[in-house]
Amino acid sequence: MKDGGLENKNELENSKKQSKPYKFYRKSDDFALAIAKVVVAQVCESVGFQSFQHSALETLSDVTARYICTLGKTSNFNANLAGRLESNVFDIIQGLEELESGLGFVGASDVNRCLAHSGVVKDIVHFVGDAADVPFAYDVSRFPVVKERKGMGSFWEKREEPHGDIPCWLSAFPDPETYAAQSTARNETMSVSNGVKTGLVRIERKIER
Amino acid sequence: MNHNPQSSDGKHDDDSALSDFLASLMDYTPTIPDELVEHYLSKSGFQSPDVRLIRLVAVATQKFVAEVASDALMHCKARQAAVVKDKRDKQQKDKRLILTMDDLSKSLREYGVNVKHQEYFADSPSTGIDPASREE
């Protein structure tokens, strides 16, 4: 007889382990998402809301971040399509038109429309004219902070002569003082690692029996 | 030689209007900080040395969020007005406007974003199933 309850329990555990891949979420993005939440809360307050559900705020801030990413991706794609590395204002306007195409904008049906006087830009101009100037509540410094890495220095920079056919622009070898003291320690560690290896071999033989 | 002097003047006006607008963006401070926009744009591969473009993206995003929020506010007020019609003695109570997942999902659906919120959470797959149909 099959135990239906146990099968269901296993399926439930398996489904818990195979969680849906949430590709967009990264642990390193927590700071940016926190700022986005504050932004969305401020915008909602300016619109007229007095409170919010946490899940609603998180959802809307997530959608905001995705909107910016989608706009950047589309603008970059348009720039690359035109043979450029750097995007310009027309790439962004094209990206905005793509995003607004679901709802529609003034002049969307015009095939020969010019991007310079696109309906999307006019809507943004009206918005900027009507909206109140609400600055962000906190001071945000540039992030993520890029750590400055000090390189080893090439042979040429260290004014050393590389022996053999080593080109001078490669990194120089480390100073002998940095590794000479480790040679005696290395002999000790090698004997310890040998002991660990024989121990592992013994355990493997026991399992085989 | 100007074949179409009017159209070229018109185009020049449009270009100058666009460049004037971009210049005016530097005077307007959007709610979304430039650093946040730069972070997400650089993540998506966007490259540009022009700060005005960052402002344009910030303003466009703020407009999007404001539109979604105002649509959600409309749904919220419509729901409260429907409740008030039925129970007039409680109209003093439900004055607070709260952004809920219901209103947000209705508003986002118009913008092509499908947000489905769980009605409830169950602790096992057989919750809610008729006990007669469960295998013993």
Side-chain angles (χ1 to χ4, degrees), chain B residues 42-74:
Chain B
S42 60
K43 265 181 111 172
S44 61
F46 179 92
Q47 285 182 59
S48 178
D50 201 347
V51 184
R52 299 174 299 172
L53 299 184
I54 308 290
R55 281 285 164 95
L56 178 63
V57 173
V59 164
T61 310
Q62 188 180 338
K63 175 178 166 285
F64 169 74
V65 175
E67 282 174 356
V68 169
S70 59
D71 283 350
L73 187 71
M74 265 171 32

Side-chain angles (χ1 to χ4, degrees), chain A residues 100-141:
Chain A
E100 294 285 319
S101 60
L103 271 179
F105 53 92
V106 174
S109 57
D110 186 9
V111 176
N112 300 320
R113 66 177 181 272
C114 174
L115 285 173
H117 52 88
S118 165
V120 171
V121 178
K122 286 177 186 167
D123 289 341
I124 293 177
V125 171
H126 288 312
F127 173 77
V128 170
D130 295 339
D133 202 351
V134 180
F136 188 61
Y138 302 104
D139 284 326
V140 182
S141 53

